[in-house]
Amino acid sequence: MLDQGTAPPVTGDKRRTPPQAAGFGARLMRRKPVERLVAEGGQGEGGTLRRSLGMWQLTMISIGATLGTGIFVVLGEAVPDAGPAVVISFVLAGVTALFSALSYAELAGTIPVSGSSYSYAYATLGEVIAWVCGWCLILEYGVSVAAVAVGWGQYLNELLDGTIGVTIPAALANPPGTDGGIFNLPALLVVLLCMAFLIGGAKESARANTIMVGVKIVALLLFCAVAFTGIRAGNYTPFMPLGLGGVSAAGATLFFSYIGFDAASTAGEEAKNPKKDLPKAIMLSLLIVTVLYVLVAAVAVGAMPWGDFQGSEAALAGIMKDVTGQSFWAVLLAAGAVIAIASVVLTVLYGQTRILFAMSRDGLVPKAFAKVNRKGVPLANTVIVSLFCGVLAAAIPLGQLADATSIGTLFAFALVNVAVIVLRVTRPDMHRSFQVPFSGVRVQVGGTQVPLGLVFPVLGFAMCVYMMLSLDVITWEVFGGWMLVGLVIYFAYGMRRSRLAVDGADGVALVKEPVTEKAGAKAGAKTAAKAGAKAGTKTGAKAGAQTTKKAATPAAKAAKAGNAAAPRAKATGKGRPQSRKKARGKKK
């Protein structure tokens, strides 16, 4: 019996028991079985997602969503908080991300679906918690797209100024209220550009992202090589001017730069071998990104006094220009940054659409987000999300966006760590293609054998909570308001329209969750046609044809119809073998 919370017995014919009235609390905590989540993978309204991504593409998606945000854009926001100790802030955010990444890797290999932490929570913590997690992911992904796109215009202006001597007016290059900005047009344009890539398909988008990731890695390494010559020892003192509080605050702001591995987990339904490749992609990308972040941050604060970072959203290009005294290097870095930030927008926007796809398939948001076209692309989903994020990017200041994204990310990651612990307790024998380190080692705690590996999810949860508490009061107020709006939407819409509710699955378990009705009908029709052909009779052919027409008929009925055709044909005496040629001519 699948894990579905509290469930009544199942009848002997393996069908669902009649739905029983469930209490309000039971409906809030209903869980979706892991097997059902996996069985429904890729299936949308009118089509399916295509499995076309290998381990390399998944790693590039992860790096693409991560590398660029914290370095090219938010460094100017974090350095004034931590000073030269921003290097420690990056390490702190990276270690926090590592513990959560281990939990993500374990769950991504066990439940390889598009919903990421939303789906993990649905399988372990209940529907209302899953909704809250999904609502946080909407904040995390949608707002981070906008936050990153805001900084794109700054580097675009650097590039235009250094190449053709023309810049976009401040009123159209900055968000409202910042340096005379009225509407951030470049931010809207980069989101729409990425939307065009995503409409082309996941494989094509992944190919473009791989090229962009290669360009930005080369650009960052080039920055390190050039800026290293401008390092001054005096720039590292005082190393921690605002104390540990400043380091923690900067780390919390920078943490949203590490959401890349979460983006990789949203590709679970389009990966060729998700159980094997997703954990590898998550861990490899986190290692590469953390090393690059720390290296670039250390060189940057050594080459420019930390006080000069205040209000600079294109800090690296400015450092290159100051160190070399030439605009060529700054222009080159600005070109790399334009590509890098576009890559971040592309991959994070991709992740947002796939999370909404999973939530829509579960009935918690409108069906439009789950509709898939012939290319295997959720077209309406992609357009709606892109327009929303583009307008948001053009109208909201960067700092507020980054902090709101950080708290949403931290909350979702905390739930993922809890989900690992719950699944270990409720489904200890489930096959896991990846496990957090030391999972096989058990220690005695109060007379109970506890896996040592659970220490990592516990630490991951604790560090996420600690960094959430480091954020300012305004960010918490925004987060609280966002959660309140989300709960209103859930109780007004999602709770009643949930697939588990509509299908009568409140407290109902299934022994088998093999395929959907459409897949079952197809298999049943094939069985019926095969049985009819083997009998060689018109009766069998007719039964097979009738079964094919009834596409919504469950597999069991279709197979039964086909199997019944052969005995009837034999009884009429018309089931004698015919030559292949004669049978073909008779069919014509």
Side-chain angles (χ1 to χ4, degrees), residues 42-49 269 353-373 376-382 384 499:
Q43 299 170 20
E45 293 285 331
T48 59
L49 302 178
E269 295 176 21
T353 60
R354 271 41 181 188
I355 289 167
L356 281 170
F357 174 84
M359 295 178 72
S360 176
R361 185 173 56 204
D362 291 334
L364 299 181
V365 297
K367 290 183 179 180
F369 292 98
K371 289 184 178 179
V372 179
N373 65 10
V377 177
L379 181 60
N381 183 345
T382 302
I384 293 170
R499 280 278 305 276

Side-chain angles (χ1 to χ4, degrees), residues 86-438:
V86 71
V87 176
I88 298 178
S89 298
F90 270 113
V91 174
L92 178 63
V95 170
T96 303
L98 174 62
F99 290 123
S100 296
L102 291 170
S103 294
Y104 262 101
E106 179 169 319
L107 291 176
T110 307
I111 315 174
V113 292
S114 291
S116 184
S117 53
Y118 154 76
S119 295
Y120 308 152
Y122 212 164
T124 57
L125 303 175
E127 185 172 279
V128 68
I129 303 299
W131 167 264
V132 169
C133 186
W135 193 243
C136 282
L137 290 175
I138 292 174
L139 178 69
E140 170 191 338
Y141 277 85
V143 177
S144 67
V145 167
V148 174
V150 167
W152 191 72
Q154 304 296 324
Y155 280 100
L156 181 62
N157 260 343
E158 289 279 345
L159 180 61
L160 293 175
D161 186 36
T163 53
I164 60 177
V166 176
T167 59
I168 302 172
L172 296 177
N174 299 316
T178 304
D179 298 329
I182 297 176
F183 188 82
N184 194 328
L185 182 62
L188 177 61
L189 292 178
V190 71
V191 174
L192 295 180
L193 177 64
C194 292
M195 179 187 73
F197 277 112
L198 291 176
I199 290 175
K203 186 175 182 180
E204 292 73 13
S205 301
R207 185 181 295 116
N209 174 67
T210 299
I211 295 172
M212 289 190 283
V213 168
V215 170
K216 64 183 175 182
I217 289 177
V218 170
L220 287 174
L221 292 177
L222 178 64
F223 166 81
C224 291
V226 174
F228 183 79
T229 61
I231 290 179
R232 301 291 180 267
N235 290 338
Y236 290 110
T237 55
F239 184 70
M240 199 179 296
L242 301 177
L244 288 175
V247 173
S248 298
T253 299
L254 292 170
F255 186 81
F256 98 105
S257 306
Y258 286 89
I259 67 172
F261 60 83
D262 184 79
S265 70
T266 64
E269 295 176 21
E270 289 165 287
K272 295 178 181 178
N273 188 359
K275 288 182 177 290
K276 179 181 178 181
D277 292 341
L278 280 176
K280 290 181 179 179
I282 288 171
M283 301 311 300
L284 180 60
S285 62
L286 183 64
L287 176 63
I288 293 172
V289 165
T290 302
V291 170
L292 282 172
Y293 274 170
V294 172
L295 179 62
V296 173
V299 173
V301 295
M304 186 168 81
W306 69 274
D308 294 346
F309 281 84
Q310 183 72 44
S312 175
E313 293 178 351
L316 300 190
I319 292 173
M320 291 280 274
K321 189 174 182 179
D322 292 341
V323 169
T324 62
Q326 301 176 1
S327 61
F328 169 77
W329 295 105
V331 171
L332 194 62
L333 185 71
V338 166
I339 295 173
I341 296 171
S343 173
V344 176
V345 173
L346 175 66
T347 49
V348 176
L349 193 63
Y350 166 84
Q352 172 70 97
T353 60
R354 271 41 181 188
I355 289 167
L356 281 170
F357 174 84
M359 295 178 72
S360 176
R361 185 173 56 204
D362 291 334
L364 299 181
V365 297
K367 290 183 179 180
F369 292 98
K371 289 184 178 179
V372 179
N373 65 10
R374 294 180 180 180
K375 292 183 178 181
V377 177
L379 181 60
N381 183 345
T382 302
V383 173
I384 293 170
V385 170
S386 299
L387 292 177
F388 173 79
C389 292
V391 172
L392 193 65
I396 305 296
L398 172 62
Q400 296 175 18
L401 289 174
D403 287 343
T405 302
S406 293
I407 195 168
T409 305
L410 288 164
F411 187 83
F413 283 12
L415 289 181
V416 169
N417 287 294
V418 174
V420 169
I421 298 171
V422 172
L423 201 61
R424 284 293 189 90
V425 174
T426 58
R427 302 291 295 275
D429 298 327
M430 177 179 288
H431 174 70
R432 293 166 171 82
S433 59
F434 176 88
Q435 296 185 33
V436 297
F438 307 113

